[in-house]
Amino acid sequence: MIDLRLLREKAEWVAERIATRGDADAAARTARLAELDRERRRLQALRDDTKHKQGRLQEEMKAAGGDPARRDALRAELRGLSDAAKDADTKMKDVEGEMEKLSYYLPNLPADDVPPGADESANVEVRRWGTPRPADEKLAHWDTGPALGMLDFDGGAKLSGARFTVLRDAGAALSRALIQFMLDLHTREHGFTEVAPPYLVSRATMTGTGQLPKFEDDAFKTQGDPELFLIPTAEVPLVNLHRDDILDVARLPIRYAAYTACFRREAGSAGKDTRGLIRQHQFDKVELVAITRPEDSAAELERIAGCAEEVLKRLGLAYRVMQLCTADLGFGAAKTYDLEVWLAGQGRYREISSCSDCHAFQARRAAIRFRRAAGAKPEHVHTLNGSGVAVGRTLVALLENCIEADGALAVPEVLRPYLAGRARIEPPR
C-alpha cells in the first residue's frame, strides 16, 4: 500500500514512478486515488465547517431565550445543517471505501536505484559466480531424474493432475537433505530464527502481504467456513506474525527462516514450463524474512541475497545475480535481486531465488510499526523477503549439473552428512 501523504504531496512524482512499471491500469488507478483523496479532504472540510456552524447555532438558540420566532428559524437552520452533515458523512464513506479498494490494487513504488525498463531484457547483471557446465540437452532433469528413479511425473499426474510430481527414494531423501542443509545454514550461521508456520491462512493474512485481492485467482482456498488460503510462500505467515504490532526498536532487525510447502495455481503460466519441476502447483521452499528499521533495509537486502548465494556456493552451483528493472518487479517489491542458477540441461540460467525489499508497502497493509523510543510516534517498519532457496529448483540444478559419465549423480559434499555419508546416487538396477 503506497503512502497517501506522499501521493498528496508529490502526486506527479508518484504517478511517474508507478508509470515506470509499465502498468497502464496502475497508472490510471493512481490518478483516480489522488482525485478521490482531494474529494475526501473537501468533504472533510465541509463536514467540519457544518459541525462548527451547528455548534454556533446551538449557542444562539440558548441566547434566543423567549423569542419563539427566532428559535424556530434557528431550529430549521440546524435541521438543514444536520442533513448536510449526514450527506457529507455518507459521501465520505463511499469515497473512503473506493480509496481502500484502489489502494489494495496499487503496486509498490520502485526504489530510486532500480533501473528503468519495459521488460526483463532491461534487467541488469550484478555479478556471477562459478563456472557453468557446458550445455547438454541430455542432462535435462526430466530425463536424468526419472533415470535415477528420483522423479515420478506420471505418478504425480495420476494422483493430482498436471504440474504435480512424486519424489521417490533418493529424490525424496535428497530434497529432505537440501531442506535441512538450508535451515541449518541460515539458523546456525546467518542468525535467522526458525519458524514452522501454518500452511493455511486467513484472508486478512493474505491481504497483509499483498497476495489479495489482486492475485486471488492464483491462490488455492478452502470452500465454506472458515475460508482459508494455502500459502503461496512462507513470506505470508512470517510477515503477518507481527500484523497490528508496535515493536520496540531493540527487537529490530527480526529475521525468520522457514521451510514450507508452497501452493500456486500458476493461473497466468499456461504453456510455460510444462515439463519438469520448474513450475509446479506445489513446491518446497526455504524462505527468509526480515523486519527492519527503514534506514536499514537497503543493507538488509544485500545481506539476504548474500545468504541465499551462500547456499549455491556451498553446493558448487554456478549462478548469476540480476537486479530487476522497474517493469519486472513483483507487485509488492521496491527493489529485487533474482538469483539465477545455471542449468546445463537447458543451457541457460533460471531463477532459483528472488530477494526483495518491500519498504513500508506491506507494513502499511498489515499495520506493523515500531517506536524508536518510549512515547515516540510509531513508524512503519520495512519488510524484506528472499528464497533461501527454492528446493525443487535446487534439485533440478543438481540433476542437470552434477551427473557423472556413468549417469550417477555426484552428491555435493555439504549434503553428504544428511544422506548418511552417501557420495553418489546411482541409477537403479
Side-chain angles (χ1 to χ4, degrees):
M1 187 175 290
I2 65 172
D3 186 350
L4 277 178
R5 183 181 300 175
L6 182 64
L7 176 63
R8 188 177 305 143
E9 296 172 354
K10 299 182 178 180
E12 290 186 7
W13 180 83
V14 170
E16 288 172 0
R17 294 305 294 163
I18 290 287
T20 64
R21 283 177 162 271
D23 185 340
D25 288 343
R29 288 189 179 111
T30 303
R32 176 60 177 160
L33 185 61
E35 178 186 333
L36 288 168
D37 182 54
R38 289 191 293 271
E39 177 64 7
R40 186 190 65 79
R41 285 183 288 136
R42 185 190 72 80
L43 290 168
Q44 175 77 54
L46 175 62
R47 188 183 66 175
D48 291 348
D49 182 59
T50 301
K51 289 186 174 180
H52 175 72
K53 289 178 179 177
Q54 284 177 307
R56 179 172 55 79
L57 289 177
Q58 286 168 350
E59 291 299 319
E60 288 187 29
M61 280 193 68
K62 293 177 183 178
D67 185 344
R70 177 60 177 157
R71 288 177 65 85
D72 287 345
L74 289 171
R75 191 175 291 112
E77 193 172 350
L78 276 169
R79 281 197 296 268
L81 288 173
S82 178
D83 291 341
K86 289 178 182 177
D87 182 61
D89 275 335
T90 299
K91 289 178 178 177
M92 271 190 65
K93 288 178 182 177
D94 290 342
V95 168
E96 288 170 348
E98 187 177 349
M99 288 179 68
E100 183 177 25
K101 290 179 181 177
L102 276 176
S103 296
Y104 281 133
Y105 280 92
L106 282 179
N108 202 353
L109 298 178
D112 292 338
D113 60 346
V114 173
D119 54 44
E120 63 181 14
S121 65
N123 294 343
V124 176
E125 184 173 319
V126 178
R127 55 186 171 271
R128 291 191 181 202
W129 185 90
T131 302
R133 179 172 180 166
D136 183 351
E137 63 181 14
K138 294 178 181 178
L139 294 173
H141 71 280
W142 49 77
D143 292 325
T144 59
L148 287 166
M150 296 170 62
L151 303 183
D152 181 358
F153 298 115
D154 291 339
K158 179 179 181 180
L159 295 174
S160 307
R163 299 190 190 275
F164 288 93
T165 303
V166 172
L167 302 184
R168 289 184 179 271
D169 195 17
L174 186 56
S175 178
R176 178 163 41 84
L178 285 167
I179 293 165
Q180 190 64 61
F181 158 65
M182 293 176 195
L183 287 173
D184 285 350
L185 175 64
H186 296 315
T187 57
R188 295 176 184 177
E189 299 186 35
H190 296 157
F192 288 83
T193 298
E194 185 176 354
V195 177
Y199 291 1
L200 286 162
V201 296
S202 67
R203 177 172 288 272
T205 300
M206 290 281 279
T207 301
T209 42
Q211 279 68 32
L212 297 182
K214 185 175 176 61
F215 302 106
E216 186 159 350
D217 288 346
D218 211 31
F220 289 100
K221 66 178 179 179
T222 62
Q223 300 298 316
D225 187 18
E227 176 193 53
L228 294 171
F229 293 80
L230 283 164
I231 59 171
T233 166
E235 166 200 346
V236 175
L238 294 181
V239 170
N240 278 276
L241 280 174
H242 294 288
R243 190 171 74 242
D244 298 323
D245 284 356
I246 299 178
L247 303 166
D248 190 307
V249 69
R251 293 190 62 186
L252 303 178
I254 296 171
R255 298 184 176 114
Y256 293 135
Y259 154 72
T260 65
C262 305
F263 306 88
R264 297 179 189 175
R265 286 189 182 277
E266 298 290 353
S269 65
K272 298 178 182 177
D273 297 309
T274 55
R275 300 183 71 184
L277 289 178
I278 292 294
R279 202 178 295 275
Q280 299 271 286
H281 289 310
Q282 175 184 320
F283 58 95
D284 294 328
K285 185 154 62 83
V286 171
E287 185 75 0
L288 307 176
V289 159
I291 298 173
T292 73
R293 300 182 305 175
E295 62 267 31
D296 297 333
S297 69
E300 189 68 19
L301 177 60
E302 304 297 328
R303 185 182 190 276
I304 286 180
C307 292
E309 287 181 67
E310 189 62 26
V311 173
L312 302 180
K313 287 177 180 178
R314 296 200 188 188
L315 292 171
L317 296 171
Y319 68 90
R320 67 181 184 181
V321 179
M322 304 292 291
Q323 182 177 356
L324 302 192
C325 71
T326 51
D328 206 28
L329 288 173
F331 179 73
K335 181 177 180 179
T336 297
Y337 292 124
D338 271 5
L339 276 60
E340 298 181 345
V341 69
W342 172 255
L343 300 180
Q346 298 174 50
R348 57 175 173 154
Y349 289 94
R350 298 296 303 266
E351 178 197 334
I352 195 168
S353 171
S354 190
C355 302
S356 297
D357 185 350
C358 297
H359 287 181
F361 183 82
Q362 293 178 329
R364 288 192 194 93
R365 296 173 74 109
I368 308 173
R369 296 173 293 168
F370 77 104
R371 295 187 196 275
R372 294 185 182 272
K377 182 180 178 181
E379 302 174 44
H380 286 105
V381 299
H382 279 195
T383 63
L384 303 95
N385 64 82
S387 306
V389 293
V391 178
R393 294 194 179 195
T394 308
L395 190 59
V396 167
L398 297 179
L399 285 167
E400 297 205 8
N401 294 305
C402 300
I403 300 297
E404 299 182 324
D406 63 354
L409 186 150
V411 177
E413 189 170 346
V414 291
L415 296 180
R416 294 174 190 175
Y418 302 101
L419 294 167
R422 192 172 184 179
R424 280 165 44 97
I425 297 173
E426 298 177 355
R429 295 181 180 178

